[in-house]
Amino acid sequence: MNIEMIRAAAQRLEGQARRTPLLNSAFVDEIAGRRVWVKAEALQHTGSFKFRGGWSAVSALAAEVRSAGVIAYSSGNHAQGVALAARLHGVPAVIVMPKDAPRLKVENTRALGAEVILYDRDHEDREAIGAALAEARGLSLIKPYDAPEVIAGQGTCGLEIAAQAAEVGIAKADVLVCCGGGGLTSGVALALEQEAPDMRVRPVEPVDFDDVTRSLQSGRRESNTRSGGSICDAIVTRSPGEMTFPLMHELCGPGIVVPEEDCLRAISVAFSRFKLVLEPGGAIALAAALYHGEQLSGEHVICIASGGNIDAQMFTRALETYPSPAMPPGARF
C-alpha cells in the first residue's frame, strides 16, 4: 500500500463518488467542548463510504476478468457498495450476507441487482463460503477491508478530509474513524500521513468488539470472543485485517471504545443538528467526540460519519430514547 494507489483510486472515482461535505455546528461544539467537524459519508452513494472501496476494486480489475462477475461478503454496507459498482460496470455480483443482517441492507443489496446468499454467522465461515463460490463460478472476490484496492478506495476519504480541512484552516486534529476490520481507518491514515501529517487517526469501536484497540495496545492482532450481537453491525469483525493492522499500528493513535447507548445518543444529535441520518456503527466516531472528549486533545476533532443505513425501528428507538436537548441561545444551527 502507498499513497500513489490512493491517488490512482481517486482518479478512477472522479465523477463516480460524491465529495461528501465536512459539517460543523456550534451546538455540537458546545456539547463536545471543542470544534467538531463531521465528514458526512452517510451521504455517499449507497449510504456509506463503502462505495469508494467497491468502485475502486471493481474498476481496477482487468475488463476480461471483471466481465465474469464479482463476489463479496458483508453485513450490508460493503455489499451495497460492491453491488452498485458491479451494476454500473454491467457485471454480475454475488453477495454473501449474514442471516441477521438488517433487513434494509439485504433488500437494498438485492435491489441493486446482486444475488444474495445468506449464512449463519455463528456456525458458518463467510470467507470459506465466498472462496468456494468464487472458485466454482469464476468470480473475483472483493474482500471488505483486507484488499489493496479496497483500502485505496477508502483512503480517498482521507484525501478529501485533508483538502477540506485546509479550506477551513485546520492543520492539526484528531480524526476519529468508525473501525471494523480497518480498511477505512488504514486508508485514511495512509492518506493523511502524506497530505496532513499533523492529523492523528483514532479508531473508534463498540464495547465488547474492541479488537483493534486491544491490538494497538498489545502490538499483535487480537480477536473478539463474539462475531455478532451489537447494534453496530457494520463495524463488527473478529479481528483487524492482516493487511490493515500493520498500517494502523504504524500510523494510528490509541483506539477509543464507546458503549452502544452513546451511539444512539449521537444518532439523535446528528439528526437534530445536522439533519443527518446515521446508523449506530456510522455514528460511533461522533459519539466518541461528544461523550469521550477526555481521551482527545486539541481544539479540533474530525469525525467520519461512515454510514446511514438504519432501519426505521432502530432510528425511532434512538430518537425516542435520547431526544436531543434544546439548542442554547446564540448557537448557530
Side-chain angles (χ1 to χ4, degrees), residues 213-255:
T213 298
R214 289 183 286 110
S215 297
L216 292 175
Q217 292 171 341
S218 70
R220 62 179 183 272
R221 293 170 65 224
E222 305 286 351
S223 299
N224 296 315
T225 57
R226 293 187 289 144
S227 59
S230 171
I231 63 172
C232 300
D233 62 282
I235 56 171
V236 169
T237 57
R238 280 286 192 184
S239 63
E242 293 181 6
M243 184 174 295
T244 61
F245 175 64
L247 292 168
M248 292 188 288
H249 188 252
E250 178 184 355
L251 301 174
C252 293

mmCIF file of all heavy atoms in Angstrom, residues 213-255:
data_model
loop_
_atom_site.group_PDB
_atom_site.id
_atom_site.type_symbol
_atom_site.label_atom_id
_atom_site.label_comp_id
_atom_site.label_asym_id
_atom_site.label_seq_id
_atom_site.Cartn_x
_atom_site.Cartn_y
_atom_site.Cartn_z
ATOM 1 N N THR A 213 -8.539 -1.763 19.127
ATOM 2 C CA THR A 213 -7.994 -1.035 20.281
ATOM 3 C C THR A 213 -7.040 -1.919 21.076
ATOM 4 O O THR A 213 -5.929 -1.497 21.438
ATOM 5 C CB THR A 213 -9.136 -0.543 21.184
ATOM 6 O OG1 THR A 213 -9.957 0.365 20.438
ATOM 7 C CG2 THR A 213 -8.599 0.169 22.415
ATOM 8 N N ARG A 214 -7.450 -3.145 21.341
ATOM 9 C CA ARG A 214 -6.585 -4.070 22.088
ATOM 10 C C ARG A 214 -5.356 -4.471 21.271
ATOM 11 O O ARG A 214 -4.265 -4.648 21.823
ATOM 12 C CB ARG A 214 -7.384 -5.307 22.509
ATOM 13 C CG ARG A 214 -8.411 -5.001 23.602
ATOM 14 C CD ARG A 214 -9.153 -6.234 24.075
ATOM 15 N NE ARG A 214 -10.133 -6.703 23.109
ATOM 16 C CZ ARG A 214 -10.029 -7.815 22.401
ATOM 17 N NH1 ARG A 214 -8.969 -8.601 22.538
ATOM 18 N NH2 ARG A 214 -10.975 -8.167 21.550
ATOM 19 N N SER A 215 -5.521 -4.601 19.976
ATOM 20 C CA SER A 215 -4.394 -4.957 19.121
ATOM 21 C C SER A 215 -3.349 -3.850 19.098
ATOM 22 O O SER A 215 -2.137 -4.112 19.111
ATOM 23 C CB SER A 215 -4.885 -5.247 17.701
ATOM 24 O OG SER A 215 -5.759 -6.358 17.670
ATOM 25 N N LEU A 216 -3.800 -2.611 19.043
ATOM 26 C CA LEU A 216 -2.858 -1.487 19.061
ATOM 27 C C LEU A 216 -2.097 -1.430 20.387
ATOM 28 O O LEU A 216 -0.930 -1.036 20.431
ATOM 29 C CB LEU A 216 -3.605 -0.170 18.822
ATOM 30 C CG LEU A 216 -4.198 0.018 17.422
ATOM 31 C CD1 LEU A 216 -5.012 1.306 17.357
ATOM 32 C CD2 LEU A 216 -3.105 0.026 16.352
ATOM 33 N N GLN A 217 -2.759 -1.842 21.466
ATOM 34 C CA GLN A 217 -2.101 -1.854 22.774
ATOM 35 C C GLN A 217 -1.074 -2.969 22.881
ATOM 36 O O GLN A 217 0.023 -2.773 23.404
ATOM 37 C CB GLN A 217 -3.155 -1.999 23.875
ATOM 38 C CG GLN A 217 -4.064 -0.791 24.036
ATOM 39 C CD GLN A 217 -5.223 -1.057 24.987
ATOM 40 O OE1 GLN A 217 -5.576 -2.204 25.271
ATOM 41 N NE2 GLN A 217 -5.825 0.011 25.485
ATOM 42 N N SER A 218 -1.417 -4.147 22.370
ATOM 43 C CA SER A 218 -0.549 -5.317 22.534
ATOM 44 C C SER A 218 0.516 -5.433 21.450
ATOM 45 O O SER A 218 1.540 -6.097 21.638
ATOM 46 C CB SER A 218 -1.385 -6.599 22.545
ATOM 47 O OG SER A 218 -1.918 -6.874 21.250
ATOM 48 N N GLY A 219 0.270 -4.811 20.298
ATOM 49 C CA GLY A 219 1.200 -4.920 19.192
ATOM 50 C C GLY A 219 1.004 -6.159 18.340
ATOM 51 O O GLY A 219 1.805 -6.432 17.442
ATOM 52 N N ARG A 220 -0.066 -6.905 18.583
ATOM 53 C CA ARG A 220 -0.386 -8.082 17.761
ATOM 54 C C ARG A 220 -1.896 -8.139 17.551
ATOM 55 O O ARG A 220 -2.649 -7.513 18.289
ATOM 56 C CB ARG A 220 0.095 -9.368 18.427
ATOM 57 C CG ARG A 220 -0.555 -9.648 19.773
ATOM 58 C CD ARG A 220 -0.054 -10.948 20.387
ATOM 59 N NE ARG A 220 -0.744 -11.245 21.641
ATOM 60 C CZ ARG A 220 -0.355 -10.809 22.829
ATOM 61 N NH1 ARG A 220 0.735 -10.059 22.930
ATOM 62 N NH2 ARG A 220 -1.046 -11.112 23.920
ATOM 63 N N ARG A 221 -2.324 -8.871 16.528
ATOM 64 C CA ARG A 221 -3.748 -8.938 16.196
ATOM 65 C C ARG A 221 -4.509 -9.724 17.268
ATOM 66 O O ARG A 221 -4.267 -10.902 17.480
ATOM 67 C CB ARG A 221 -3.947 -9.582 14.828
ATOM 68 C CG ARG A 221 -3.410 -8.738 13.683
ATOM 69 C CD ARG A 221 -3.414 -9.506 12.380
ATOM 70 N NE ARG A 221 -4.765 -9.825 11.950
ATOM 71 C CZ ARG A 221 -5.145 -11.001 11.471
ATOM 72 N NH1 ARG A 221 -4.277 -11.994 11.366
ATOM 73 N NH2 ARG A 221 -6.386 -11.196 11.086
ATOM 74 N N GLU A 222 -5.431 -9.032 17.933
ATOM 75 C CA GLU A 222 -6.298 -9.651 18.939
ATOM 76 C C GLU A 222 -7.656 -9.964 18.313
ATOM 77 O O GLU A 222 -8.020 -9.399 17.275
ATOM 78 C CB GLU A 222 -6.483 -8.712 20.129
ATOM 79 C CG GLU A 222 -5.191 -8.241 20.786
ATOM 80 C CD GLU A 222 -4.515 -9.321 21.611
ATOM 81 O OE1 GLU A 222 -5.127 -10.388 21.825
ATOM 82 O OE2 GLU A 222 -3.363 -9.100 22.051
ATOM 83 N N SER A 223 -8.405 -10.855 18.963
ATOM 84 C CA SER A 223 -9.706 -11.273 18.437
ATOM 85 C C SER A 223 -10.816 -11.005 19.440
ATOM 86 O O SER A 223 -10.575 -10.954 20.657
ATOM 87 C CB SER A 223 -9.690 -12.766 18.095
ATOM 88 O OG SER A 223 -8.735 -13.054 17.100
ATOM 89 N N ASN A 224 -12.026 -10.833 18.925
ATOM 90 C CA ASN A 224 -13.212 -10.751 19.770
ATOM 91 C C ASN A 224 -13.737 -12.154 20.053
ATOM 92 O O ASN A 224 -13.548 -13.071 19.256
ATOM 93 C CB ASN A 224 -14.296 -9.915 19.088
ATOM 94 C CG ASN A 224 -13.881 -8.475 18.886
ATOM 95 O OD1 ASN A 224 -13.331 -7.860 19.794
ATOM 96 N ND2 ASN A 224 -14.115 -7.940 17.699
ATOM 97 N N THR A 225 -14.409 -12.305 21.158
ATOM 98 C CA THR A 225 -14.962 -13.613 21.512
ATOM 99 C C THR A 225 -16.271 -13.893 20.789
ATOM 100 O O THR A 225 -16.672 -15.040 20.645
ATOM 101 C CB THR A 225 -15.198 -13.709 23.027
ATOM 102 O OG1 THR A 225 -16.075 -12.642 23.442
ATOM 103 C CG2 THR A 225 -13.879 -13.590 23.785
ATOM 104 N N ARG A 226 -16.947 -12.830 20.323
ATOM 105 C CA ARG A 226 -18.216 -12.987 19.612
ATOM 106 C C ARG A 226 -18.111 -12.423 18.209
ATOM 107 O O ARG A 226 -17.307 -11.537 17.943
ATOM 108 C CB ARG A 226 -19.348 -12.268 20.363
ATOM 109 C CG ARG A 226 -19.704 -12.870 21.702
ATOM 110 C CD ARG A 226 -20.939 -12.201 22.273
ATOM 111 N NE ARG A 226 -20.670 -10.835 22.721
ATOM 112 C CZ ARG A 226 -21.519 -9.817 22.613
ATOM 113 N NH1 ARG A 226 -22.697 -9.990 22.014
ATOM 114 N NH2 ARG A 226 -21.204 -8.627 23.066
ATOM 115 N N SER A 227 -18.958 -12.930 17.323
ATOM 116 C CA SER A 227 -18.963 -12.463 15.944
ATOM 117 C C SER A 227 -20.164 -11.579 15.633
ATOM 118 O O SER A 227 -20.278 -11.050 14.527
ATOM 119 C CB SER A 227 -18.960 -13.654 14.979
ATOM 120 O OG SER A 227 -20.102 -14.468 15.195
ATOM 121 N N GLY A 228 -21.081 -11.419 16.567
ATOM 122 C CA GLY A 228 -22.267 -10.600 16.347
ATOM 123 C C GLY A 228 -22.918 -10.258 17.662
ATOM 124 O O GLY A 228 -22.422 -10.588 18.743
ATOM 125 N N GLY A 229 -24.066 -9.559 17.574
ATOM 126 C CA GLY A 229 -24.807 -9.218 18.771
ATOM 127 C C GLY A 229 -24.704 -7.762 19.160
ATOM 128 O O GLY A 229 -25.157 -7.375 20.241
ATOM 129 N N SER A 230 -24.130 -6.922 18.295
ATOM 130 C CA SER A 230 -24.049 -5.494 18.561
ATOM 131 C C SER A 230 -24.952 -4.746 17.602
ATOM 132 O O SER A 230 -25.115 -5.145 16.441
ATOM 133 C CB SER A 230 -22.606 -5.005 18.389
ATOM 134 O OG SER A 230 -22.529 -3.591 18.440
ATOM 135 N N ILE A 231 -25.524 -3.633 18.065
ATOM 136 C CA ILE A 231 -26.305 -2.799 17.152
ATOM 137 C C ILE A 231 -25.394 -2.126 16.128
ATOM 138 O O ILE A 231 -25.863 -1.657 15.094
ATOM 139 C CB ILE A 231 -27.134 -1.735 17.907
ATOM 140 C CG1 ILE A 231 -26.235 -0.746 18.655
ATOM 141 C CG2 ILE A 231 -28.130 -2.398 18.845
ATOM 142 C CD1 ILE A 231 -26.995 0.437 19.252
ATOM 143 N N CYS A 232 -24.079 -2.110 16.398
ATOM 144 C CA CYS A 232 -23.107 -1.543 15.460
ATOM 145 C C CYS A 232 -22.650 -2.612 14.475
ATOM 146 O O CYS A 232 -21.445 -2.851 14.280
ATOM 147 C CB CYS A 232 -21.916 -0.974 16.222
ATOM 148 S SG CYS A 232 -22.328 0.334 17.388
ATOM 149 N N ASP A 233 -23.610 -3.276 13.817
ATOM 150 C CA ASP A 233 -23.306 -4.431 12.975
ATOM 151 C C ASP A 233 -22.322 -4.099 11.860
ATOM 152 O O ASP A 233 -21.548 -4.960 11.434
ATOM 153 C CB ASP A 233 -24.597 -4.990 12.369
ATOM 154 C CG ASP A 233 -25.289 -3.980 11.467
ATOM 155 O OD1 ASP A 233 -25.951 -3.058 11.980
ATOM 156 O OD2 ASP A 233 -25.163 -4.102 10.244
ATOM 157 N N ALA A 234 -22.337 -2.865 11.378
ATOM 158 C CA ALA A 234 -21.498 -2.500 10.236
ATOM 159 C C ALA A 234 -20.015 -2.544 10.555
ATOM 160 O O ALA A 234 -19.188 -2.639 9.643
ATOM 161 C CB ALA A 234 -21.871 -1.101 9.739
ATOM 162 N N ILE A 235 -19.643 -2.481 11.844
ATOM 163 C CA ILE A 235 -18.224 -2.430 12.197
ATOM 164 C C ILE A 235 -17.831 -3.551 13.147
ATOM 165 O O ILE A 235 -16.836 -3.435 13.878
ATOM 166 C CB ILE A 235 -17.838 -1.053 12.781
ATOM 167 C CG1 ILE A 235 -18.704 -0.698 13.991
ATOM 168 C CG2 ILE A 235 -17.957 0.024 11.716
ATOM 169 C CD1 ILE A 235 -18.211 0.540 14.735
ATOM 170 N N VAL A 236 -18.580 -4.643 13.125
ATOM 171 C CA VAL A 236 -18.251 -5.793 13.970
ATOM 172 C C VAL A 236 -17.448 -6.802 13.156
ATOM 173 O O VAL A 236 -17.926 -7.319 12.147
ATOM 174 C CB VAL A 236 -19.524 -6.440 14.537
ATOM 175 C CG1 VAL A 236 -19.206 -7.785 15.178
ATOM 176 C CG2 VAL A 236 -20.170 -5.516 15.565
ATOM 177 N N THR A 237 -16.229 -7.081 13.596
ATOM 178 C CA THR A 237 -15.360 -8.083 12.956
ATOM 179 C C THR A 237 -14.714 -8.919 14.048
ATOM 180 O O THR A 237 -14.692 -8.538 15.224
ATOM 181 C CB THR A 237 -14.272 -7.427 12.094
ATOM 182 O OG1 THR A 237 -13.513 -6.529 12.905
ATOM 183 C CG2 THR A 237 -14.876 -6.664 10.926
ATOM 184 N N ARG A 238 -14.174 -10.070 13.648
ATOM 185 C CA ARG A 238 -13.481 -10.926 14.612
ATOM 186 C C ARG A 238 -12.153 -10.313 15.049
ATOM 187 O O ARG A 238 -11.778 -10.356 16.213
ATOM 188 C CB ARG A 238 -13.215 -12.302 13.992
ATOM 189 C CG ARG A 238 -14.410 -13.228 13.998
ATOM 190 C CD ARG A 238 -14.689 -13.759 15.385
ATOM 191 N NE ARG A 238 -15.662 -14.857 15.359
ATOM 192 C CZ ARG A 238 -16.132 -15.439 16.449
ATOM 193 N NH1 ARG A 238 -15.757 -15.037 17.639
ATOM 194 N NH2 ARG A 238 -17.014 -16.418 16.350
ATOM 195 N N SER A 239 -11.404 -9.743 14.092
ATOM 196 C CA SER A 239 -10.081 -9.204 14.377
ATOM 197 C C SER A 239 -9.693 -8.249 13.258
ATOM 198 O O SER A 239 -10.273 -8.283 12.170
ATOM 199 C CB SER A 239 -9.049 -10.329 14.500
ATOM 200 O OG SER A 239 -8.929 -11.031 13.275
ATOM 201 N N PRO A 240 -8.705 -7.381 13.502
ATOM 202 C CA PRO A 240 -8.260 -6.500 12.423
ATOM 203 C C PRO A 240 -7.626 -7.297 11.292
ATOM 204 O O PRO A 240 -7.168 -8.426 11.482
ATOM 205 C CB PRO A 240 -7.234 -5.589 13.107
ATOM 206 C CG PRO A 240 -6.832 -6.305 14.345
ATOM 207 C CD PRO A 240 -7.992 -7.131 14.753
ATOM 208 N N GLY A 241 -7.616 -6.736 10.105
ATOM 209 C CA GLY A 241 -7.111 -7.432 8.932
ATOM 210 C C GLY A 241 -5.607 -7.646 8.969
ATOM 211 O O GLY A 241 -4.867 -6.887 9.598
ATOM 212 N N GLU A 242 -5.168 -8.668 8.269
ATOM 213 C CA GLU A 242 -3.733 -8.937 8.164
ATOM 214 C C GLU A 242 -3.010 -7.791 7.458
ATOM 215 O O GLU A 242 -1.869 -7.468 7.785
ATOM 216 C CB GLU A 242 -3.501 -10.245 7.400
ATOM 217 C CG GLU A 242 -3.992 -11.481 8.129
ATOM 218 C CD GLU A 242 -3.720 -12.743 7.345
ATOM 219 O OE1 GLU A 242 -3.054 -12.665 6.285
ATOM 220 O OE2 GLU A 242 -4.159 -13.822 7.783
ATOM 221 N N MET A 243 -3.682 -7.179 6.513
ATOM 222 C CA MET A 243 -3.079 -6.077 5.769
ATOM 223 C C MET A 243 -3.300 -4.733 6.457
ATOM 224 O O MET A 243 -2.412 -3.862 6.456
ATOM 225 C CB MET A 243 -3.664 -6.027 4.354
ATOM 226 C CG MET A 243 -3.054 -4.988 3.448
ATOM 227 S SD MET A 243 -3.686 -5.118 1.763
ATOM 228 C CE MET A 243 -3.028 -6.730 1.318
ATOM 229 N N THR A 244 -4.461 -4.565 7.062
ATOM 230 C CA THR A 244 -4.778 -3.274 7.665
ATOM 231 C C THR A 244 -4.084 -3.055 8.999
ATOM 232 O O THR A 244 -3.715 -1.923 9.331
ATOM 233 C CB THR A 244 -6.293 -3.116 7.862
ATOM 234 O OG1 THR A 244 -6.777 -4.144 8.737
ATOM 235 C CG2 THR A 244 -7.026 -3.195 6.530
ATOM 236 N N PHE A 245 -3.883 -4.109 9.786
ATOM 237 C CA PHE A 245 -3.327 -3.901 11.129
ATOM 238 C C PHE A 245 -1.931 -3.296 11.118
ATOM 239 O O PHE A 245 -1.664 -2.350 11.881
ATOM 240 C CB PHE A 245 -3.345 -5.198 11.949
ATOM 241 C CG PHE A 245 -2.675 -5.029 13.278
ATOM 242 C CD1 PHE A 245 -3.194 -4.152 14.219
ATOM 243 C CD2 PHE A 245 -1.498 -5.701 13.577
ATOM 244 C CE1 PHE A 245 -2.560 -3.951 15.448
ATOM 245 C CE2 PHE A 245 -0.860 -5.516 14.790
ATOM 246 C CZ PHE A 245 -1.392 -4.643 15.736
ATOM 247 N N PRO A 246 -0.991 -3.781 10.291
ATOM 248 C CA PRO A 246 0.326 -3.136 10.306
ATOM 249 C C PRO A 246 0.268 -1.644 9.982
ATOM 250 O O PRO A 246 1.018 -0.846 10.563
ATOM 251 C CB PRO A 246 1.106 -3.913 9.237
ATOM 252 C CG PRO A 246 0.438 -5.238 9.175
ATOM 253 C CD PRO A 246 -1.015 -4.957 9.410
ATOM 254 N N LEU A 247 -0.622 -1.258 9.072
ATOM 255 C CA LEU A 247 -0.768 0.164 8.749
ATOM 256 C C LEU A 247 -1.309 0.941 9.946
ATOM 257 O O LEU A 247 -0.809 2.023 10.278
ATOM 258 C CB LEU A 247 -1.706 0.328 7.547
ATOM 259 C CG LEU A 247 -1.179 -0.175 6.206
ATOM 260 C CD1 LEU A 247 -2.306 -0.212 5.173
ATOM 261 C CD2 LEU A 247 -0.032 0.699 5.707
ATOM 262 N N MET A 248 -2.328 0.385 10.610
ATOM 263 C CA MET A 248 -2.888 1.068 11.771
ATOM 264 C C MET A 248 -1.886 1.127 12.912
ATOM 265 O O MET A 248 -1.776 2.145 13.609
ATOM 266 C CB MET A 248 -4.176 0.370 12.212
ATOM 267 C CG MET A 248 -5.317 0.514 11.224
ATOM 268 S SD MET A 248 -6.911 -0.098 11.844
ATOM 269 C CE MET A 248 -6.638 -1.881 11.832
ATOM 270 N N HIS A 249 -1.149 0.042 13.103
ATOM 271 C CA HIS A 249 -0.165 0.015 14.190
ATOM 272 C C HIS A 249 0.915 1.067 13.983
ATOM 273 O O HIS A 249 1.390 1.693 14.938
ATOM 274 C CB HIS A 249 0.453 -1.385 14.278
ATOM 275 C CG HIS A 249 1.335 -1.576 15.476
ATOM 276 N ND1 HIS A 249 2.709 -1.653 15.389
ATOM 277 C CD2 HIS A 249 1.040 -1.686 16.802
ATOM 278 C CE1 HIS A 249 3.216 -1.811 16.601
ATOM 279 N NE2 HIS A 249 2.227 -1.840 17.471
ATOM 280 N N GLU A 250 1.285 1.299 12.739
ATOM 281 C CA GLU A 250 2.325 2.278 12.429
ATOM 282 C C GLU A 250 1.814 3.705 12.457
ATOM 283 O O GLU A 250 2.519 4.619 12.900
ATOM 284 C CB GLU A 250 2.904 1.986 11.041
ATOM 285 C CG GLU A 250 3.963 2.980 10.594
ATOM 286 C CD GLU A 250 4.453 2.731 9.178
ATOM 287 O OE1 GLU A 250 4.049 1.727 8.571
ATOM 288 O OE2 GLU A 250 5.241 3.556 8.670
ATOM 289 N N LEU A 251 0.546 3.916 12.014
ATOM 290 C CA LEU A 251 0.095 5.273 11.724
ATOM 291 C C LEU A 251 -0.949 5.840 12.677
ATOM 292 O O LEU A 251 -1.150 7.061 12.690
ATOM 293 C CB LEU A 251 -0.479 5.323 10.294
ATOM 294 C CG LEU A 251 0.481 4.932 9.166
ATOM 295 C CD1 LEU A 251 -0.266 4.887 7.841
ATOM 296 C CD2 LEU A 251 1.647 5.901 9.087
ATOM 297 N N CYS A 252 -1.632 5.007 13.459
ATOM 298 C CA CYS A 252 -2.770 5.472 14.257
ATOM 299 C C CYS A 252 -2.419 5.703 15.718
ATOM 300 O O CYS A 252 -1.506 5.074 16.262
ATOM 301 C CB CYS A 252 -3.921 4.465 14.190
ATOM 302 S SG CYS A 252 -4.679 4.322 12.570
ATOM 303 N N GLY A 253 -3.186 6.589 16.343
ATOM 304 C CA GLY A 253 -3.122 6.749 17.779
ATOM 305 C C GLY A 253 -3.962 5.694 18.467
ATOM 306 O O GLY A 253 -4.535 4.812 17.812
ATOM 307 N N PRO A 254 -4.094 5.755 19.792
ATOM 308 C CA PRO A 254 -4.862 4.754 20.536
ATOM 309 C C PRO A 254 -6.328 4.720 20.121
ATOM 310 O O PRO A 254 -6.903 5.741 19.715
ATOM 311 C CB PRO A 254 -4.716 5.213 21.996
ATOM 312 C CG PRO A 254 -3.532 6.115 22.016
ATOM 313 C CD PRO A 254 -3.487 6.768 20.674
ATOM 314 N N GLY A 255 -6.916 3.544 20.228
ATOM 315 C CA GLY A 255 -8.334 3.398 19.934
ATOM 316 C C GLY A 255 -9.207 3.958 21.047
ATOM 317 O O GLY A 255 -8.749 4.184 22.175
#
